Amino acid sequence: MARPMTMAEKILAAHAHLDEVEPGQLIECDLDLVLSNDITSPIAIKNFKKIGVEKVFDPTKIALVPDHYVPNKDIKSAEQAKQVREFAREQGITHYYEVGCMGVEHALLPEQGVVGAGDLIIGADSHTCTYGALGAFSTGVGSTDAAVGYATGKAWFKVPETLLFKIDGELNPGVTGKDIILYIIGMIGVDGALYKAMEFAGSAIRGLSMDQRLSISNMAIEAGGKAGLIEVDDITRAYMDGRTERPYTEYHSDPDAKYAKVYEIKASDIPPTVAFPHLPSNTRPVAEARDVKIDQSVIGSCTNGRLEDMRQAAAVLKGRKVHPDVRCIVIPATQQVYKQCIVEGLMDIFLDANCAVSTPTCGPCLGGYMGILAAGERSISTSNRNFVGRMGDPTSEVYLSSRQAPFWAISVCRKNWTNGKGRFHSCISRVPRIVTGATSTPTSSSRPVTSTPPTPSGWQRTAWRIWTRTS
């Protein structure tokens, strides 16, 4: 009889044609899908040709999604996209998505039914872990591993240990899947799940929509996770039935499966959360976030560019205008999401609010284009990373959130000066606090901050969240 196993272990065992596996074991597995994009595909294609095979192992099990610098940013990006396009035609790749059909890869493939429960997927993009929300084992790899996957349909794995995160109870109003994963990353740090599978369970997870579950699994890598899995339930089945291209297989963790660690979290303890620069783990409750002036708000990405995210943003922006000092960029993650935004009138809301709306692209998230930050600028973003220079100049800053981003885009604060001296006052009531002027002093804390905000250099605190210039 096989040992009790987690769902991650069961998927790996099935694809290695073994009755059981255990953490630390090295195995070779058959792959259901190999994914790459316009940045990682050219390197994979080059290495594929070095292997000496003429054809990919199965043209229906490779997905090429040009989404990072596409529509083409410049000549070099155009050459990369051309190389991917020609390889797709040469090999007869079924899942190649041209401009006009493509979307942000980790939103597109679930939407199109290319991935499903029980699949084993590797992708030359670190956020391939997104598909774990469907009950798949999916993980990011390098372009060389992807090339071998193209050629053989196989990859080797070291079976990871699994961390279980049980979130039970009722979430507070306004708390989303993005807040849950930011809270967890803030709790365990960016290496808290290093080379471990993260399994998310509990009544709060079961109550989430598919879009929000995908946001959670998407950011497992930001805690160092090898994969981020959620067991299949009725919500998952309703999403996959009639959508997936091939029959899916459910795997559920055994009740007595062994976990490296179990985290039990009360859903009511999770607040609306923002990650301050320069790590996703530098999290703070929105209510305790210090006052920060922003220059840009980005609503989109493979984390929060789905239809539910667009609806939430439109609900905030309806009847309002983006603050004149802020650029608000809305990027629906797929053409289908874009079209549905038009059908539901969301585009009218965005345009009436003075948002810029883009065709699907990863663009600003990786500092590519469509929203690059200049020196000293700050952006609030629904994306997944806020490292130094992630969205532009090394002195720029990125703050990660979910539904707070549109709030911040419309926020306005007052700055009063008298003889070169000034005080900074709080924002519109019930809107996250964004203030003009004070230089940010990022911290490296990997846990939520519950004390008073730090005092920026050159200022002294005269009251809660009010500073007076000292130099």
Side-chain angles (χ1 to χ4, degrees):
M1 182 177 178
R3 63 181 286 273
M5 291 187 288
T6 66
M7 59 186 299
E9 292 163 358
K10 287 184 176 183
I11 295 171
L12 290 172
H15 287 77
H17 307 288
L18 298 172
D19 292 332
E20 64 179 53
V21 296
E22 60 183 18
Q25 183 176 347
L26 297 177
I27 56 176
E28 184 179 67
C29 296
D30 293 332
L31 300 171
D32 294 301
L33 188 72
V34 183
L35 162 71
S36 55
N37 55 52
D38 52 310
I39 292 179
T40 58
S41 292
I43 305 170
I45 293 167
K46 179 180 179 181
N47 284 285
F48 169 81
K49 292 179 178 178
K50 288 181 179 179
I51 294 173
V53 296
E54 293 185 359
K55 292 292 183 180
V56 298
F57 83 103
D58 186 338
T60 70
K61 292 186 176 182
I62 293 172
L64 303 178
V65 187
D67 61 354
H68 279 54
Y69 288 108
V70 175
N72 300 335
K73 168 182 176 284
D74 52 23
I75 295 173
K76 288 185 178 180
S77 63
E79 291 294 339
Q80 286 186 308
K82 180 182 178 184
Q83 188 175 355
V84 178
R85 183 180 303 114
E86 290 177 345
F87 182 75
R89 291 171 179 168
E90 170 193 308
Q91 296 291 330
I93 302 299
T94 303
H95 299 108
Y96 168 71
Y97 298 90
E98 187 56 271
V99 172
C101 299
M102 71 82 174
V104 177
E105 56 196 324
H106 306 309
L108 180 69
L109 298 186
E111 174 193 274
Q112 296 298 310
V114 181
V115 292
D119 284 351
L120 179 57
I121 304 155
I122 63 170
D125 185 276
S126 58
H127 292 106
T128 301
C129 53
T130 304
Y131 317 132
L134 298 171
F137 188 102
S138 56
T139 191
V141 298
S143 292
T144 302
D145 287 319
V148 174
Y150 288 174
T152 67
K154 297 180 182 292
W156 71 270
F157 296 86
K158 183 174 76 171
V159 179
E161 294 180 305
T162 299
L163 301 176
L164 177 62
F165 298 85
K166 293 183 65 177
I167 302 100
D168 285 305
E170 187 173 345
L171 293 168
N172 292 308
V175 173
T176 67
K178 179 69 165 289
D179 298 299
I180 291 173
I181 191 62
L182 285 177
Y183 181 87
I184 289 172
I185 296 168
M187 179 176 66
I188 68 174
V190 293
D191 58 354
L194 192 61
Y195 206 91
K196 292 180 173 64
M198 301 173 73
E199 184 177 327
F200 305 97
S203 60
I205 299 296
R206 292 192 295 272
L208 294 176
S209 67
M210 205 64 239
D211 282 1
Q212 294 195 50
R213 296 180 189 194
L214 289 161
S215 295
I216 291 175
S217 292
N218 174 268
M219 291 192 67
I221 184 62
E222 309 311 335
K226 183 70 173 174
L229 301 95
I230 299 175
E231 285 191 333
V232 174
D233 61 11
D234 287 343
I235 290 176
T236 326
R237 296 183 195 102
Y239 182 87
M240 292 190 296
D241 288 345
R243 183 190 299 266
T244 55
E245 296 178 342
R246 56 188 181 276
Y248 57 82
T249 304
E250 295 184 21
Y251 293 93
H252 298 269
S253 296
D254 293 321
D256 51 349
K258 183 179 179 181
Y259 293 91
K261 190 170 184 179
V262 177
Y263 294 87
E264 295 186 347
I265 300 169
K266 292 182 179 179
S268 58
D269 288 343
I270 302 174
T273 302
V274 175
F276 276 56
H278 289 284
L279 287 173
S281 59
N282 190 19
T283 56
R284 305 182 185 196
V286 169
E288 298 180 8
R290 71 180 186 272
D291 298 326
V292 178
K293 176 188 180 296
I294 64 162
D295 302 284
Q296 178 171 287
S297 175
V298 175
I299 302 166
S301 83
C302 62
T303 315
N304 288 112
R306 299 175 181 85
L307 184 57
E308 185 174 339
D309 304 304
M310 297 295 111
R311 288 170 175 164
Q312 290 177 352
V316 173
L317 293 167
K318 186 174 183 178
R320 296 184 171 98
K321 297 288 186 183
V322 172
H323 187 267
D325 291 343
V326 176
R327 311 179 297 274
C328 185
I329 303 169
V330 180
I331 308 177
T334 70
Q335 292 287 85
Q336 191 175 112
V337 172
Y338 196 108
K339 184 175 182 178
Q340 191 61 30
C341 285
I342 295 173
V343 171
E344 296 184 14
L346 307 185
M347 284 298 181
D348 289 335
I349 293 172
F350 296 144
L351 295 176
D352 289 345
N354 296 337
C355 298
V357 182
S358 167
T359 189
T361 181
C362 299
C365 173
L366 68 151
Y369 72 139
M370 289 298 296
I372 304 304
L373 298 176
E377 287 192 317
R378 299 187 181 99
S379 178
I380 182 77
S381 176
T382 65
S383 55
N384 44 49
R385 285 182 177 157
N386 60 346
F387 308 141
V388 173
R390 172 70 179 181
M391 201 175 276
D393 188 271
T395 63
S396 64
E397 296 179 344
V398 179
Y399 298 74
L400 304 177
S401 75
S402 57
R403 65 169 57 189
Q404 285 79 39
F407 274 115
W408 290 33
I410 62 174
S411 298
V412 57
C413 304
R414 302 189 306 275
K415 175 179 176 182
N416 299 331
W417 293 96
T418 304
N419 298 325
K421 305 285 184 177
R423 301 179 84 189
F424 292 89
H425 302 267
S426 62
C427 298
I428 301 170
S429 62
R430 297 186 297 278
V431 176
R433 298 175 179 272
I434 315 299
V435 212
T436 59
T439 302
S440 169
T441 309
T443 69
S444 59
S445 171
S446 62
R447 300 185 63 84
V449 175
T450 55
S451 58
T452 57
T455 302
S457 176
W459 297 78
Q460 67 180 6
R461 189 186 314 282
T462 57
W464 174 248
R465 292 193 183 89
I466 296 178
W467 291 275
T468 302
R469 184 181 292 277
T470 59
S471 61

